[in-house]
Amino acid sequence: MAAQAKQLEFVHSSQFTTPVAEEYAAELLDFAGKNFAGGCVYFTCGGSESVETALKLARQYQVESGQARRYQVISREQSYHGSTLGALSVSGNKRRREMYVPMVREFAHVAYPYCYRCAFECTDGCRNCGQEYAAELEKAIEAAYGEVAAFIVEPVSGATLGAAAPPPGYLQSVAKICLRHGVLLIADEVMTGMGRTGRNFAVEYWDVAPDILVTAKGLSSGYAPVGAVLVSKRVADAIADGSGAFLHGFTYNSHPISLAAGRAVLKVLQDRKLVQAADSERPGSTAAALRQALEGLRDAKAVGDVRGIGLLWCGEFVADKATKQPFAPHLNFAGRVAQAAVERGLLVYPMQGCVDGISGDHVLIAPPAVITDEQTDWAVKQLREAIEEVT
Ligand SMILES: Cc1ncc(COP(=O)(O)O)c(C=O)c1O
C-alpha cells in the first residue's frame, strides 16, 4: 500500500486504468477459475456497492442483448445483500429492511432451503426437497412474464440464517433454471468468498457457474475498503460489443491503494495456503479443528443446531430441543450470549430472526484462517461457558 501510494495515489477510473487494477483483476479472475476466463472485474469499496453494481450490470446486459423488458431481480426470503436501497430491495432480512420497505422497488422473494427447519418436514437432510425449493424460483420467473433480469443468491446463507449450506442439487437446479429462462445468476459471495468456506468461492462446492459473482469483506482482510464484481465473458462481451460502456461509477472505484492491499492479501492467502486451512473436510486443517470443537456444543441445553462449512459456523439456540421452539425474541438470547462471550474476551456475531424474520437466535463464528488449534479450543470453551451462563 505504501509503495503504491508513493507511485500513484489516485486516478478516476472513468478516464484511466492502472497497472495495479489490471494485474489484480487478472489474478482474481484466475483465482475464480475457468468459469471466469476472459471475463472482467469491476472494483468497488465494499459489498453493498458491489451488489448495486451487479444489479445494474444485469439490467444493462439484458438491454444490450435485446431484452429490454427484463428488469426484475428475484431474490430469497431470509437473505442479506447490503444496506443501500437497491441491495436492500433484494434482501429478505426483515429486521434490517422493514422500515425502508416503502422506499424500495420490490420484486419477488422466493423461499430458501433451511434444513434445520425444513418447510417440507423431511427427514433426509433435504436430499429431495432441494428440488422443491428450486421449483419456487421457476414459478416466480414464469409469473413475471419475461421481465426477470437476474436471480441473486448467497450460496451459503451468511448472517440471516446463520451459515446454512444448501441441500444437494439445489444450486445446480437453480443455475439450470436461470439458464433455461435467460435469467442471469448472481452469486453474492461477500461473506463466503475468498476462501472463507474452504473453496476459493463457495459455488465451487456445487460446481455452479454464476454469470456475476460479488465479493468483498475478506478480499482485503480489513486493510482497506475493497469489493469486486466478477463478470463472466458472456456478460462482459454483451456490453463490450454493444454500447461499449457500463453506465455506472463511483469516484473511488478501483482505488489504487485499496487494490494494492487486496493484491497483497490474495498473495498471502495463496502463499500460506489459507483456503486449504479453511476446508473443514480436510483432515488436520484449521477448520476441521473448529468444526470438531463446535460439534461438541450440541450437548449444551440451549443449542439446537450447529451448522456450517469451512470457517463459517453457526450455533442456533432453542428453548426446547425436542420441538425446536425458539426463545421469545424480547429475551435477546443471542445478544446476551455475545455479551457474555465478550466479557470472556471472545467476539461472536449475534443475530435474531432465523425462524421467521423476528424470532430465532443464533451466533456466527468465523475466525481468521490463521487461528491456532489452541486458540480454537479456548474460544469454543468461552462460548460454551457464555451459553451456559445465559441459559
Ligand atoms: C452476503 C452479503 N452481501 C452483502 C453485504 C454487504 O456488504 P458491505 O457491508 O461491505 O456493504 C454483506 C454484509 O454483511 C453480506 O453478508
Side-chain angles (χ1 to χ4, degrees), residues 43-367:
F43 290 111
T44 69
C45 297
S48 302
E49 272 188 14
S50 294
V51 168
E52 294 292 329
T53 303
L55 301 181
K56 288 175 70 178
L57 196 55
R59 164 68 179 157
Q60 190 168 337
Y61 164 83
Q62 298 290 4
V63 172
E64 304 233 9
S65 311
Q67 299 282 320
R69 286 185 64 214
R70 294 184 181 269
Y71 66 96
Q72 299 188 24
V73 180
I74 297 181
S75 59
R76 297 196 308 184
E77 295 162 359
Q78 295 284 62
S79 57
Y80 182 64
H81 297 291
S83 282
T84 46
L85 291 177
L88 211 55
S89 81
V90 295
S91 296
N93 185 309
K94 260 194 198 158
R95 283 174 184 260
R96 290 181 179 174
R97 70 198 305 270
E98 212 156 27
M99 184 185 303
Y100 308 103
V101 164
M103 299 170 71
V104 300
R105 181 84 194 256
E106 287 248 64
F107 308 120
H109 298 270
V110 295
Y112 48 90
Y114 175 21
C115 302
Y116 179 59
R117 297 180 185 277
C118 179
F120 299 98
E121 292 180 9
C122 67
T123 50
D124 63 355
C126 289
R127 272 187 185 278
N128 292 310
C129 42
Q131 299 311 314
E132 309 275 349
Y133 289 107
E136 291 216 12
L137 170 63
E138 187 144 41
K139 274 191 222 138
I141 293 174
E142 284 165 356
Y145 298 109
E147 292 185 346
V148 180
F151 174 59
I152 183 165
V153 61
E154 293 166 85
V156 175
S157 171
T160 316
L161 282 184
Y170 167 76
L171 277 179
Q172 292 92 324
S173 295
V174 158
K176 279 188 198 141
I177 289 166
C178 287
L179 196 61
R180 197 157 57 232
H181 290 272
V183 168
L184 294 186
L185 177 62
I186 305 174
D188 180 346
E189 298 232 19
V190 168
M191 195 174 270
T192 56
M194 305 309 298
R196 168 61 48 193
T197 68
R199 294 290 181 274
N200 292 5
F201 291 103
V203 284
E204 290 167 29
Y205 275 108
W206 300 281
D207 206 15
V208 161
D211 300 289
I212 300 176
L213 187 149
V214 175
T215 193
K217 291 191 193 285
L219 189 58
S220 58
S221 201
Y223 287 89
V226 190
V229 184
L230 277 65
V231 181
S232 69
K233 185 171 181 332
R234 174 166 72 107
V235 175
D237 283 354
I239 294 174
D241 299 342
S243 68
F246 179 32
L247 292 171
H248 180 70
F250 306 102
T251 298
Y252 288 132
N253 279 347
S254 279
H255 194 284
I257 301 174
S258 298
L259 299 190
R263 260 194 106 189
V265 166
L266 181 59
K267 188 167 174 355
V268 171
L269 199 76
Q270 291 175 317
D271 289 352
R272 294 183 62 173
K273 300 194 173 8
L274 296 184
V275 182
Q276 291 89 325
D279 183 352
S280 48
E281 298 300 319
R282 179 183 276 257
S285 70
T286 306
L290 177 70
R291 176 188 181 157
Q292 197 186 8
L294 288 173
E295 289 286 354
L297 292 178
R298 283 186 188 275
D299 62 11
K301 188 162 175 264
V303 174
D305 194 23
V306 173
R307 56 177 172 266
I309 186 165
L311 281 172
L312 184 63
W313 285 82
C314 161
E316 181 173 334
F317 306 119
V318 287
D320 182 331
K321 273 193 176 182
T323 61
K324 302 184 182 176
Q325 190 199 334
F327 287 103
H330 74 270
L331 293 176
N332 187 21
F333 193 90
R336 285 161 69 187
V337 168
Q339 186 53 37
V342 163
E343 281 156 20
R344 290 168 169 82
L346 173 72
L347 289 172
V348 291
Y349 180 171
M351 280 291 288
Q352 281 192 297
C354 54
V355 176
D356 54 11
I358 303 296
S359 65
D361 286 82
H362 65 269
V363 292
L364 269 190
I365 302 120

